[in-house]
Amino acid sequence: MKMKQDSARNATYTVDCEDYVHVVEFNPFDSGNVGSLIAYGGNNYVVIGTCRFQEEDAEVEGIQYETLRTFHHGIRVDAIAWSPETRLDALPPQIRFCTAAADRKLRLFASDLQDKNEYKIFDGHSDYINDLVFAPKEGQDIASVSDDHTCRVWDLEGNQKAYFVLRSPGMSVCWHPEEAFKLMVAEKNGTIRFYDLITQQAILSLQSEQIPLMSAHWCLRNTLKIGAVAGNDWLIWDITRSSYPQDKRPVHVDRARLFRWSRVNENLFATTSYPGKMTSQLLVHHLGHPQPILIGSAAVGSGLTWHRTLPLCAVGGDHKLFFWVTEM
């Protein structure tokens, strides 16, 4: 179940899962425990587990993974977001996360990992939901973007607090802990806009020139850096310099699918491609290097997430989670 492997293309670690994994997310917030919380979603379930790696604890051989709870979801999970209110050091523990599902609804889950396991359904989007995120400070709001050409902000009761009309499908939404009153929304037509949540106006926009833009991400370590994938390319903007990308490179033969900045280094990021004839490709890039510093592949890989404190990323797959460790 938990193997260390040799080849650069194989994952450093793998964990077996009950279901096909569509989406995987490390908790980006400190939940007060030694391990890292991880959530993954499949066709019917959401699983919450903890991971600990030998890179952070010499006592661990490779990876130590434990499932804390499996939530029956009953429908395909397309996206998962963690709430900063999740705490494992509270009594009782508090697990809070939100999913987007194939039925165009959000589900806000709350659990104490014992008897209390409940969820609320947020209804409003009229098409596929591509991404969602909690307000990073208090976690009292959730933003979501959809193929219905809207970005919506909800309170925890499911009431809509804000509603932005987009010009094409909304692919990514980011909320930066240092920019609590701004929302980044990326559209499939190549436009990335920043909205002021107080005035509910767009305040800045970036252009990719390439389409379709499939994924964009706001760099945790440097609020001025935005990254995205569009077509076969990754693109990076410095928002103080230009509305056009400062740097871009064609990297995937098959169309690029996801872009995620590392949480530990502002020059480290990963991209994935759509599953090609056999496998999905994971590339890890460093802005100082002309070539990817790591190339991984996973049979029908899906999802992409970085560990909160390690240069380690995870991708879901066919009844498996794959973990790659990057040498810094």
Side-chain angles (χ1 to χ4, degrees), residues 11 65 78 190:
Y65 170 81
D78 292 327

Side-chain angles (χ1 to χ4, degrees), residues 107-126:
R107 286 169 177 79
L108 174 62
F109 285 81
S111 168
D112 62 4
L113 298 176
Q114 291 148 27
D115 307 325
K116 180 192 159 189
N117 296 287
E118 52 194 45
Y119 67 85
K120 290 192 185 87
I121 291 182
F122 297 6
D123 212 341
H125 281 298
S126 61

